[in-house]
């Protein structure tokens, strides 16, 4: 029996986290990595405009009825399910760095900042309810609460979503963005291709030992508490903005 292909992911539910304190801390992190941790690819550090919490990933069309319906569901959320949007404002910060599986620390691809603050329980409740609401409507891909751009190793972590809820995290390093094209050879084929001027390449995603990084920044405050004021549907794939890259916001609603 052939294995069913996973749906192509196109959009995600997002709580953006860009702030002045996060801009400063990521700049300091980039400088520290350049000078003291050369084994970590600097390109893996995410631009501040991309830092967010993912509440669910979606497989929609790019400009068709499913995208329109998902957008309308978001815009109508405060009226159709008012119990989901918790009344009082929520403030959260980011402190310390982590990986999804500590057994992979020495061979890491993704590093995230821990969400912290007095309102974290209420944030978790909001995230879980929003995720479940859009799963029930058929927009969020069930069993797939993933990271920043919903990539790779941390996808395994999403399988816990049904029992444990949305995994709150803010990805700050992802080596997907530091991948490089390297020449490959298949037996003698590589040599033949070189002679013909046709070198085959494949994209290789690096990994790194994050042990020192996690220890050094264990108690670092990457973002002072901020009021999360927006829930958005964003399109996957960065677009260039002034501070180095962000995501296209398709629609959003304000949060209290």
């Amino acid at each position: 029996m052939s294995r069913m292909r996973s749906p192509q992911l196109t959009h995600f539910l997002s709580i953006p986290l860009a702030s002045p304190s996060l801009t400063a801390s990521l700049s300091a992190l980039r400088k520290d990595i350049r000078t003291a941790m050369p084994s970590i690819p600097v390109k893996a550090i995410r631009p501040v405009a991309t830092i967010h919490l993912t509440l669910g990933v979606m497989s929609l069309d790019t400009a068709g009825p499913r995208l329109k319906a998902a957008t309308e569901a978001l815009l109508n959320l405060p009226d159709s399910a008012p119990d989901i949007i918790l009344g009082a404002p929520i403030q959260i910060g980011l402190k310390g760095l982590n990986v999804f599986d500590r057994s992979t620390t020495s061979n890491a691809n993704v590093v995230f900042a821990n969400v912290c603050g007095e309102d974290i329980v209420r944030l978790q409740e909001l995230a879980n309810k929003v995720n479940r609401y859009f799963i029930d409507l058929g927009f969020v891909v069930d069993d797939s609460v993933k990271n920043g751009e919903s990539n790779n190793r941390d996808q395994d972590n999403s399988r816990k979503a049904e029992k444990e809820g949305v995994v709150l995290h803010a990805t700050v390093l992802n080596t997907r963005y530091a991948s490089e094209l390297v020449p490959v050879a298949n037996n003698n084929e590589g040599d033949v291709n070189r002679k013909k001027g046709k070198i085959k390449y494949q994209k290789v995603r690096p990994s790194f030992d994050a042990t020192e990084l996690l220890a050094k920044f264990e108690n670092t405050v990457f973002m002072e508490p901020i009021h999360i004021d927006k829930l958005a549907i964003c399109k996957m794939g960065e677009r260039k903005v002034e501070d180095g890259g962000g995501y296209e916001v398709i629609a959003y609603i304000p949060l209290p």
Side-chain angles (χ1 to χ4, degrees):
M1 181 181 295
S2 60
R3 186 176 181 180
M4 184 180 295
R5 294 182 60 184
S6 299
Q8 181 179 357
L9 303 179
T10 59
H11 298 79
F12 60 97
L13 286 164
S14 168
I15 293 179
L17 296 179
S19 70
S21 64
L22 187 55
T23 300
S25 63
L26 289 183
S27 177
L29 177 66
R30 184 175 288 106
K31 181 178 180 180
D32 202 297
I33 286 176
R34 276 202 181 103
T35 57
M37 303 177 189
S39 64
I40 301 177
V42 175
K43 288 183 179 179
I45 302 175
R46 309 302 297 122
V48 67
T50 70
I51 308 299
H52 66 277
L53 304 179
T54 299
L55 305 193
V57 293
M58 303 179 178
S59 179
L60 308 173
D61 39 39
T62 55
R66 276 183 55 77
L67 178 58
K68 181 180 179 181
T71 299
E72 290 177 350
L74 175 66
L75 297 178
N76 294 332
L77 181 62
D79 294 326
S80 59
D83 60 308
I84 291 180
I85 306 300
L86 308 178
I90 295 177
Q91 288 196 335
I92 61 163
L94 298 175
K95 181 179 180 180
L97 297 178
N98 212 337
V99 294
F100 289 102
D101 182 353
R102 282 284 180 164
S103 68
T104 66
T105 301
S106 61
N107 191 37
N109 295 119
V110 173
V111 173
F112 62 88
N114 299 305
V115 179
C116 64
E118 295 181 358
D119 293 334
I120 192 168
V121 173
R122 295 178 57 243
L123 173 64
Q124 185 71 65
E125 181 182 354
L126 171 67
N128 293 348
K129 286 184 175 181
V130 169
N131 173 260
R132 176 45 56 188
Y133 182 76
F134 281 89
I135 285 177
D136 291 343
L137 290 176
F139 296 123
V140 161
V141 178
D142 201 353
D143 208 25
S144 300
V145 183
K146 304 171 186 178
N147 81 317
E149 273 205 33
S150 311
N151 297 305
N152 305 298
R153 180 174 295 164
D154 53 322
Q155 291 183 6
D156 293 336
N157 198 54
S158 71
R159 296 187 176 93
K160 301 177 182 178
E162 187 66 25
K163 290 183 178 180
E164 302 177 10
V166 174
V167 182
L168 297 174
H169 64 284
T171 299
V172 295
L173 285 95
N174 188 336
T175 60
R176 174 186 176 187
Y177 303 95
S179 297
E180 296 181 349
L181 290 175
V182 298
V184 295
N186 184 9
N187 296 329
N188 295 325
E189 185 181 349
D191 294 331
V192 172
N193 285 332
R194 287 183 179 85
K195 290 177 182 178
K196 294 180 179 180
K198 298 179 181 178
I199 303 175
K200 290 187 176 181
Y201 292 88
Q202 70 177 7
K203 186 172 285 189
V204 175
R205 183 184 186 187
S207 59
F208 61 92
D209 188 342
T211 306
E212 180 184 357
L213 182 72
L214 268 56
K216 184 170 185 177
F217 294 96
E218 179 180 6
N219 296 310
T220 298
V221 175
F222 284 91
M223 185 180 76
E224 298 290 345
I226 64 168
H227 169 219
I228 58 168
D229 60 358
K230 182 186 300 183
L231 173 63
I233 292 178
C234 296
K235 184 178 180 181
M236 289 190 178
E238 290 179 40
R239 61 186 178 90
K240 295 298 181 182
V241 294
E242 290 183 2
D243 63 355
Y247 297 104
E248 179 182 355
V249 175
I250 304 300
Y252 76 90
I253 58 172
L255 295 175

